Amino acid sequence: MSRPLSIAALAVASIIAAGAAGAAAAPALAADGEPEASVAPFARTATYPVFQNVPDGVDPAEATVAEISTITDDGTVVYTDALGKRIGFVDVTDPSNPVGTGTVELAELGHADDQPTSVAAYGDFVLVVIDETGGEFTAPKGRLDVLRVSDRTVVRSIDLGGQPDSIAISNDGAYAAIAIENQRDEEFTPEGGDEGDLPQLPGGFVQVLGLGGDGRDPADPATWTLDAVSFLNDDGTPIDVIAAAGLDTPEDPEPEYVAINSRNELAVTLQENNGIAIIDLATREVTRAFSAGSVAVSGIDVKKDARIDLTGSIPATPREPDAIAWIGDDRLATANEGDWKGGTRGWTVFDAADGDVVWDAGNTFERLAVQHGLANNDRAAKKGSEPEGLAVAEFDGTPYAFVASERSNFIAVYDVSDPAAPAFVQVLFSTNGPEGILPVPGRDLLVVSSETDDSSVNVRASVNVYVFGEAPAGTIAQPSLVSGVDASSADGAPIGWQALGALAGNPTDATHVWAASDVAVAPSTVYSIDVSRTPAVVDRAIHISDEQGAPVALDIEGLAVDGDGGFWLALEGATGAANQLVHTDGLGLIDRRVDLPADVTAHVGKWGLEGVTVTGSGADAQLWVAIQRPLWTDPANAAAGTVDGDDVTRIGRYDLAGGEWSWYGYRLEHTSVAGDWLGLSEITAIDDDTFALIERDKLNGPAAAVKRVTTVDLPAGAGATDASLAAGGTLPILEKRTAIDVLAALRATHGWTQEKLEGFAIAADGQLYAVTDNDGLADATGETVFLRLGDADAVFGGGTGEEPGGEEPGGEEPGGEEPGQPDAPSITLGASTVVAGGTVVVSGTGFEPEASVRFELRSEPVALGGATAAADGTLSFTATIPASTPAGAHTLVAILPDGTEVSAALTVAAAAAPVGSATGASGDLASTGVEPGWALGLAGLVLAAGGAAAVVGTRRRRQAA
């Protein structure tokens, strides 16, 4: 019997279960290889694409970036845009709603080829560092423009005497220091060297700008003074302290990044020289310098082959640090991006007195990328995740280090209370190429600016905003999916995963679902995901092999479980004939293949099979598939039209016993947006004749418009066969209804809205899950969003054959109400158990439209907040359970305006005490979070039926006199 659908389409905001703000993160692998959970201190609140801030008359599709940023006293972020040759301004006083407030074009201040390299706010001024070199590497030049914040006019312009890079201002406001890099020409070959080698003169130096003291007035830029600090003698030889430091080419220092401690000591990286120098700003003296040294790293991926293989290694390699920051006054942290000779895929803490290594990340930073689905195999043979940006700041008494991966698009956060044993805290996803890391403790903010921009593939540079503390209500916390240890690894490496193009429930285990990678990963892999944990955890990988047992790379776009422990995979081919269904056993060995009919493949281009599901069993087993886009009359010429009508694609049924195909039509929503199209990305059986499908557009970011789960019921009788269509028969077009608008959930992450909503599954307990495909970071941010979308009965209707709220077996209305009366209010919890300090999503139905509903946790009443019911009487609320809540049985209560209460039982599990084992310089991370065993105990507490469904006792609350 067909399961009926609810009349109103449900917005995803009303049914998302878990994964909301404040949810546990899985920052690191514990000793047993399982991800440890902790409450993440930072949460993303907004992503502002800077193309929205370009001046009038500039095409928003033109390249525009955000590289380095600062913030003014009034809460305006100022960022550099070297490609746009401007600086931009974004108001972040409301961290959830950044507002672009315009730009200053450098062409208006100087020359059209001028490019900003760095920026720093100072009182009523913004100091803008500008490269004027224009490609003349042997005649480098640059200037510092001082802009008044209030009117953005230049009040002084200072010649810097060379090509500048970064700027830093001392804590006491007495000094600014600017690295004058005089960078090398990577296409020039010096005498006796190779292309791009050093030395390439003139050598770089540091400019020190006196801002206060000695007659200088911080409020009057006319009084500021400039002094050059050279690393070279007048004859071009390195000064003694530089000559003795063991640098690569000391006569060409190449200073890169600067940072100042509270003693007004300046640390500057000499990146291409693999060195660090310390300058006393008061005396303008280079007091010491040392090599950043080399390190060998093992347990990483070093081949570009679509495999995530963590058995590779690099020999002793120069660190070549880029960004640098002080941890206190005696330790220095560096991001070891690498340049012409080096790069070690991690970051290091040095003793600033002698350059000794206090701690080094080894392979742990690189493995964070793998654990979070962000491994960038295109960069594996080069510098991997490539940490470039780094900053250190104290929030609420805890010093944190923020290390940005330029190539894997994340920021790793560490507690550096003990610089000799940094404790990993969390990963923050960002848009592509995060470079500028700006902690703003005074506003409890972290601002990250990203530099990669390519409008042709919808990759856009952005200002990413994160808040320290509680995220806005309704936030979907990220990460939502991480991996555990690879059982086949000898050193506890995480399971490599990404590009999840398909999802399916595990019919025998409600705590797990299955997912599969697309062609971005080789060999093709099916993953087991533990959904009883938050975030969900990839805990097993099954590699697919052909009939001879050889690993294969397939474009898996659909996944179904056959009921006997094996899998059906839907393969999307580059051509029509390559679209195919394959069956594997439980170990991933292919043992059967099913081709599409030639009459279909002849009309399929590259957009073919995008889902498979199974109904029935034994002789009655049927396979169902979704074809992503319409069948084309001529796949090589879309303008020639379609076979079945405009915007009509197909759903196919394959009878496993009879070997016959039949077809139904599905009408896609039409789009007139240039470059866009709509298609299907998944099919999932709800019952034998009702199916859920994903329909989505090709847009991402703020342009994304259609990301939804729809449902269709099959009509009585068979669909069209190839023979009937060939004889002039018609393709039955199915009526679709929107069940879940997933766009709201994707936007609730406050990140870049992902394009590829690709997988949808119904677990054994009826819980609904969806996942996005990160495309293996190809023209994508790499972020994967794993969504918990509530209970199938609530979304699709109960399995009784009646509409939700309709007559139950026996003829009585739910709750004993008379027929025709409205449903009584009820609430459903997204989980029956939650860890103290965690969150649970409350979904409600039957409330008065627009009613204000309060929520409490009892027995001792604790106010949790409130929500307003929608026009259809539904509501959604993310309840944060106080960390002080005692473990045990509790009740979550919804209180209506008239005092009526409805409630649901909730078990609160105690959060384990954090652990923080110290480490030395070996690269093993100390960990923060909960004991690894808690999740196993919690899994045992979770009801097999999934969300704590029910409730319902209503009573009239005693009113105050």
Side-chain angles (χ1 to χ4, degrees):
M1 179 176 291
S2 175
R3 179 179 291 175
L5 303 174
S6 55
I7 297 173
L10 298 178
V12 75
S14 69
I15 55 176
I16 294 174
L29 297 180
D32 62 358
E34 291 300 321
E36 293 193 340
S38 65
V39 176
F42 293 88
R44 185 170 52 196
T45 60
T47 299
Y48 179 80
V50 296
F51 76 82
Q52 295 181 342
N53 197 36
V54 298
D56 291 341
V58 174
D59 184 351
E62 289 186 11
T64 178
V65 301
E67 294 170 290
I68 304 299
S69 61
T70 187
I71 191 167
T72 63
D73 292 342
D74 68 354
T76 297
V77 169
V78 186
Y79 61 88
T80 62
D81 179 358
L83 292 184
K85 300 173 183 176
R86 63 177 71 97
I87 58 171
F89 300 80
V90 179
D91 181 350
V92 296
T93 52
D94 179 356
S96 296
N97 184 34
V99 177
T101 60
T103 64
V104 170
E105 306 298 297
L106 296 191
E108 299 173 2
L109 306 182
H111 191 273
D113 287 335
D114 294 347
Q115 296 185 6
T117 63
S118 193
V119 64
Y122 181 69
D124 294 331
F125 306 105
V126 175
L127 282 58
V128 184
V129 179
I130 300 170
D131 177 6
E132 301 176 290
T133 302
E136 296 292 331
F137 292 95
T138 59
K141 59 184 298 190
R143 71 179 190 274
L144 178 74
D145 280 352
V146 183
L147 274 66
R148 185 184 293 110
V149 172
S150 58
D151 59 11
R152 301 178 185 175
T153 60
V154 176
V155 297
R156 185 181 176 190
S157 188
I158 303 171
D159 185 358
L160 294 175
Q163 181 190 44
D165 195 327
S166 61
I167 184 172
I169 296 178
S170 62
N171 294 336
D172 61 5
Y175 304 100
I178 303 164
I180 308 298
E181 183 177 9
N182 291 348
Q183 71 180 22
R184 65 192 175 98
D185 180 352
E186 296 182 9
E187 297 179 356
F188 174 75
T189 303
E191 185 176 352
D194 295 326
E195 184 178 68
D197 275 359
L198 301 181
Q200 294 185 33
L201 303 180
F205 54 96
V206 169
Q207 289 282 18
V208 178
L209 188 65
L211 304 173
D214 295 331
R216 296 180 289 261
D217 181 357
D220 183 4
T223 67
W224 299 350
T225 60
L226 190 69
D227 296 290
V229 178
S230 180
F231 301 108
L232 306 176
N233 295 309
D234 291 343
D235 63 0
T237 60
I239 62 176
D240 290 346
V241 67
I242 295 296
L247 306 183
D248 185 279
T249 315
E251 65 270 30
D252 187 2
E254 301 270 342
E256 182 85 13
Y257 205 92
V258 289
I260 304 171
N261 66 10
S262 68
R263 296 194 292 239
N264 284 336
E265 292 180 303
L266 173 76
V268 54
T269 54
L270 312 174
Q271 185 172 24
E272 286 88 341
N273 272 281
N274 193 37
I276 298 168
I278 310 296
I279 298 173
D280 185 319
L281 292 177
T283 64
R284 314 310 200 255
E285 178 186 0
V286 181
T287 58
R288 55 196 183 277
F290 53 86
S291 170
S294 299
V295 63
V297 182
S298 60
I300 56 176
D301 191 0
V302 296
K303 293 182 180 179
K304 180 181 176 180
D305 56 4
R307 298 184 63 200
I308 305 174
D309 179 5
L310 300 184
T311 62
S313 63
I314 56 174
T317 301
R319 291 185 172 90
E320 292 188 347
D322 187 327
I324 191 168
W326 290 90
I327 305 176
D329 287 331
D330 301 308
R331 299 288 187 266
L332 286 166
T334 62
N336 305 326
E337 176 198 25
D339 197 285
W340 62 320
K341 291 184 178 180
T344 56
R345 310 183 186 215
W347 65 288
T348 304
V349 179
F350 294 94
D351 186 324
D354 54 20
D356 285 350
V357 172
V358 174
W359 178 89
D360 189 88
N363 64 22
T364 58
F365 186 83
E366 186 90 337
R367 288 187 171 190
L368 285 177
V370 174
Q371 185 188 4
H372 290 79
L374 295 169
N376 192 334
N377 187 256
D378 280 349
R379 303 292 299 177
K382 297 180 180 178
K383 292 180 286 184
S385 53
E386 207 163 316
E388 179 181 17
L390 181 146
V392 174
E394 185 174 298
F395 287 81
D396 195 25
T398 299
Y400 292 100
F402 306 91
V403 187
S405 165
E406 180 183 11
R407 302 296 183 173
S408 289
N409 309 328
F410 71 90
I411 299 90
V413 183
Y414 300 81
D415 179 341
V416 289
S417 298
D418 180 0
F424 178 74
V425 176
Q426 71 181 115
V427 153
L428 299 171
F429 296 139
S430 74
T431 44
N432 299 64
E435 180 171 359
I437 312 299
L438 177 65
V440 191
R443 291 182 177 269
D444 283 337
L445 295 179
L446 174 70
V447 178
V448 175
S449 45
S450 65
E451 64 173 343
T452 302
D453 191 86
D454 183 353
S455 63
S456 69
V457 290
N458 292 325
V459 170
R460 303 312 305 260
S462 302
V463 172
N464 304 261
V465 184
Y466 311 84
V467 66
F468 175 75
E470 188 172 346
T475 297
I476 302 300
Q478 287 287 80
S480 49
L481 180 64
V482 297
S483 64
V485 71
D486 185 344
S488 66
S489 167
D491 64 350
I495 296 171
W497 67 276
Q498 59 185 203
L500 302 183
L503 204 62
N506 184 329
T508 62
D509 182 358
T511 67
H512 283 75
V513 297
W514 295 99
S517 59
D518 66 19
V519 75
V521 174
S524 295
T525 305
V526 172
Y527 303 96
S528 174
I529 299 176
D530 184 348
V531 295
S532 71
R533 305 175 67 176
T534 302
V537 176
V538 176
D539 59 10
R540 183 185 175 198
I542 300 173
H543 298 309
I544 306 301
S545 54
D546 64 17
E547 290 85 345
Q548 288 72 46
V552 289
L554 308 170
D555 191 3
I556 302 174
E557 297 292 348
L559 171 69
V561 181
D562 68 0
D564 295 319
F567 303 100
W568 281 102
L569 310 177
L571 310 183
E572 184 178 41
T575 63
N579 285 266
Q580 193 178 57
L581 295 175
V582 300
H583 181 266
T584 78
D585 64 15
L587 299 178
L589 180 70
I590 295 175
D591 54 25
R592 182 176 178 182
R593 297 177 184 262
V594 175
D595 293 323
L596 292 178
D599 286 348
V600 172
T601 60
H603 300 286
V604 172
K606 61 181 180 179
W607 300 288
L609 292 179
E610 279 281 338
V612 62
T613 192
V614 180
T615 61
S617 60
D620 295 325
Q622 310 283 316
L623 296 181
W624 300 83
V625 299
I627 294 180
Q628 186 167 43
R629 299 191 66 193
L631 301 188
W632 309 103
T633 303
D634 178 2
N637 178 20
T642 61
V643 173
D644 300 314
D646 291 344
D647 302 315
V648 174
T649 189
R650 289 194 186 186
I651 294 171
R653 175 172 60 187
Y654 182 74
D655 185 315
L656 278 167
E660 296 178 351
W661 283 95
S662 55
W663 302 96
Y664 300 86
Y666 180 102
R667 190 175 301 280
L668 300 163
E669 182 174 323
H670 182 74
T671 178
S672 58
V673 177
D676 186 26
W677 49 258
L678 272 76
L680 297 179
S681 286
E682 180 68 286
I683 183 169
T684 302
I686 299 172
D687 54 38
D688 284 349
D689 52 11
T690 307
F691 296 86
L693 300 107
I694 288 178
E695 182 177 355
R696 68 167 180 86
D697 58 15
K698 190 174 169 53
L699 304 176
N700 61 20
V706 178
K707 316 290 178 188
R708 61 175 66 121
V709 176
T710 66
T711 56
V712 295
D713 287 325
L714 295 186
T721 65
D722 296 313
S724 69
L725 291 172
T730 59
L731 182 73
I733 307 297
L734 301 178
E735 179 183 350
K736 68 179 180 182
R737 292 167 296 277
T738 297
I740 311 174
D741 180 3
V742 187
L743 184 61
L746 296 175
R747 286 179 173 162
T749 67
H750 306 307
W752 192 255
T753 302
Q754 298 298 302
E755 173 199 342
K756 292 191 173 182
L757 180 65
E758 292 270 302
F760 180 76
I762 305 175
D765 59 358
Q767 293 300 300
L768 306 178
Y769 301 92
V771 71
T772 61
D773 176 359
N774 75 356
D775 265 347
L777 284 80
D779 299 331
T781 66
E783 181 172 346
T784 296
V785 183
F786 186 83
L787 294 168
R788 302 166 188 260
L789 299 177
D791 181 79
D793 283 346
V795 176
F796 302 129
T800 64
E802 297 296 330
E803 288 285 336
E807 185 174 276
E808 294 185 336
E812 293 189 4
E813 293 290 309
E817 300 288 341
E818 291 296 323
Q821 296 298 313
D823 292 345
S826 66
I827 58 174
T828 300
L829 304 186
S832 59
T833 302
V834 64
V835 175
T839 60
V840 63
V841 173
V842 185
S843 301
T845 60
F847 290 86
E848 287 292 329
E850 311 301 329
S852 296
V853 181
R854 295 185 295 112
F855 295 92
E856 288 184 356
L857 183 69
R858 298 178 184 166
S859 54
E860 292 296 328
V862 177
L864 300 177
T868 301
D872 62 355
T874 64
L875 61 76
S876 178
F877 174 71
T878 300
T880 299
I881 306 304
S884 58
T885 303
H890 295 264
T891 303
L892 198 151
V893 181
I895 306 167
L896 281 69
D898 65 358
T900 299
E901 296 182 356
V902 294
S903 60
L906 179 67
T907 299
V908 176
V915 297
S917 56
T919 64
S922 65
D924 293 332
L925 291 177
S927 297
T928 60
V930 255
E931 295 286 355
W934 78 265
L936 298 178
L938 178 57
L941 295 173
V942 177
L943 297 177
V951 160
V952 202
T954 63
R955 66 182 177 88
R956 182 72 57 186
R957 191 180 186 195
R958 185 183 301 276
Q959 300 296 316

